[in-house]
Amino acid sequence: MSWQMALEYLRTLVWPAVVLTLGFTFRKQLASLFGRVESVETPLGTVAFEKQADAVAQEAAEIESEMAGELAAAQTDTSEIDDVGTREIPSEEPQQITRPQNLSSDFSDLFELAETETTAAVMAAWREVERAVKTAGIKHGLTPITSQTLSGMGLLSDELARSVEDLRHLRNRVVHEGDILLTKSGARSYITAAQRIVEALELSQDPRFQALQYERSVVHALGRAGLPAEPGNRDDEFDAYGQTPASTTIAVEVRFRRRGELHLHDIKKVISKLPTLAANVLVVTNAPLAQEVHEFNSTYNARPRFEVVQWQGDRDTPLLARAIGRLSG
């Protein structure tokens, strides 16, 4: 073999040898690099995350705007939602409902944080949403406190509860699933969505809105309990009316309270109507019933029939059904 042929063999073999040597030397670093490359999502996935966060923000803003409009148009009797010892004097002037103005400085800080630490900013934004949900639940003594629990009690709209869950899912994609290459703009979109949801949650705690939401939930629950009911008009004496399969008409009065028990004096106006009514009466409240109300339920035996029942969500719908059954007889 000539020296020229030997040189050609060396030239052919040298680069594979170099690659193998480098690969063996830096095998751990290369494995880590390939693992990261496999876990990074395409730019299309990044755009999808940002678009989803934008959609949640838009939905939350629309929910908040609708809630504000309902409150502005509502003429809720404050006596139905006052707490013991905190009665307010009703104003003859319509109260203007506006969006919350306390745009938290924490969110401003989070927008700044998103410029350098996108994942940390998303996690902090989600904690603000969790804090708002927890605050809403504590006011009503709920355990555990979730958006679904609040929705089940009629204290949070299903739409807003879904927005909270959508945001939770996006947060989990970033923190747990790791399939998102989180950009600054994506983090900002998420923070905006969280801010809109927190504002809507704050507005949802207005007792007048809660009274409206609770009343709607009661009407739906009555249907599930066997009394298809329709909401009454603003000038009607009762909040809803329904008819049982036995053709018994039941008038429904809804009493929402922020705290405390429901006492007999709280429903004395309804009781005073009984002598002139042709329909049986069902009073539904979210508040615990005082002992005197329990005694009234068990001893009242006149016509029209009258009963008070506590309803705090789907778990209490059987109580509604039993009360409707008694009023049907």
Side-chain angles (χ1 to χ4, degrees):
M1 178 185 297
S2 67
W3 66 270
Q4 290 93 346
M5 184 175 294
L7 182 60
E8 289 298 325
Y9 275 118
L10 288 174
R11 287 176 178 174
T12 303
L13 296 174
V14 67
W15 284 114
V18 170
V19 170
L20 288 173
T21 302
L22 290 175
F24 182 80
T25 304
F26 299 103
R27 61 189 184 280
K28 292 185 179 180
Q29 291 86 340
L30 288 170
S32 177
L33 173 61
F34 287 134
R36 289 199 301 273
V37 170
E38 290 175 356
S39 68
V40 171
E41 196 173 89
T42 65
L44 289 178
T46 301
V47 171
F49 175 89
E50 186 173 340
K51 292 295 184 183
Q52 289 171 355
D54 288 339
V56 174
Q58 179 63 28
E59 182 179 15
E62 291 174 358
I63 293 171
E64 180 190 350
S65 178
E66 183 178 349
M67 289 162 55
E70 289 180 358
L71 283 176
Q75 308 235 345
T76 305
D77 181 1
T78 57
S79 65
E80 296 181 13
I81 57 177
D82 280 345
D83 299 333
V84 176
T86 60
R87 298 191 178 275
E88 302 170 356
I89 300 175
S91 172
E92 295 181 359
E93 295 295 327
Q95 184 171 356
Q96 183 178 3
I97 307 299
T98 59
R99 293 184 177 186
Q101 297 301 313
N102 55 333
L103 301 182
S104 172
S105 59
D106 290 338
F107 281 103
S108 298
D109 294 342
L110 293 184
F111 282 113
E112 294 180 7
L113 181 62
E115 296 301 312
T116 55
E117 299 289 342
T118 54
T119 299
V122 165
M123 293 177 64
W126 171 248
R127 284 195 295 271
E128 292 298 321
V129 175
E130 284 187 314
R131 186 176 294 112
V133 171
K134 184 177 180 180
T135 299
I138 288 175
K139 291 181 179 179
H140 302 281
L142 297 181
T143 304
I145 302 172
T146 66
S147 57
Q148 294 97 325
T149 306
L150 290 169
S151 175
M153 282 186 63
L155 301 175
L156 197 67
S157 70
D158 292 339
E159 294 78 11
L160 186 53
R162 281 196 297 269
S163 293
V164 173
E165 291 308 305
D166 288 342
L167 209 64
R168 182 199 302 274
H169 175 70
L170 289 176
R171 177 260 186 191
N172 288 344
R173 288 189 64 187
V174 172
V175 178
H176 298 306
E177 298 176 18
D179 64 342
I180 290 295
L181 180 62
L182 188 59
T183 62
K184 294 179 182 179
S185 59
R188 288 194 294 266
S189 293
Y190 188 95
I191 296 168
T192 299
Q195 182 175 355
R196 294 287 179 266
I197 287 179
V198 168
E199 291 172 3
L201 284 168
E202 290 174 350
L203 187 56
S204 73
Q205 297 313 296
D206 187 300
R208 291 162 298 176
F209 178 79
Q210 290 187 335
L212 291 171
Q213 184 67 32
Y214 179 73
E215 183 178 316
R216 285 193 290 263
S217 298
V218 167
V219 171
H220 293 153
L222 289 170
R224 297 192 296 273
L227 181 69
E230 294 292 333
N233 298 319
R234 182 170 295 176
D235 297 331
D236 288 343
E237 289 187 304
F238 291 92
D239 296 311
Y241 298 86
Q243 194 170 61
T244 68
S247 298
T248 301
T249 300
I250 298 178
V252 181
E253 179 84 1
V254 180
R255 291 281 168 167
F256 175 81
R257 294 181 66 87
R258 288 177 289 183
R259 62 177 66 87
E261 296 180 331
L262 188 79
H263 292 270
L264 204 56
H265 66 77
D266 295 316
I267 54 175
K268 61 183 180 182
K269 288 184 179 179
V270 184
I271 296 173
S272 67
K273 299 176 186 178
L274 290 177
T276 61
L277 289 177
N280 291 341
V281 177
L282 174 64
V283 175
V284 183
T285 180
N286 65 311
L289 306 185
Q291 182 60 35
E292 59 184 355
V293 178
H294 284 293
E295 293 173 357
F296 178 83
N297 276 338
S298 60
T299 59
Y300 185 82
N301 193 27
R303 296 287 179 176
R305 300 291 298 164
F306 187 98
E307 186 155 349
V308 186
V309 64
Q310 182 188 25
W311 184 82
Q312 288 191 321
D314 288 339
R315 65 183 181 184
D316 293 331
T317 300
L319 298 178
L320 278 182
R322 287 197 290 271
I324 292 168
R326 288 189 290 267
L327 292 174
S328 299

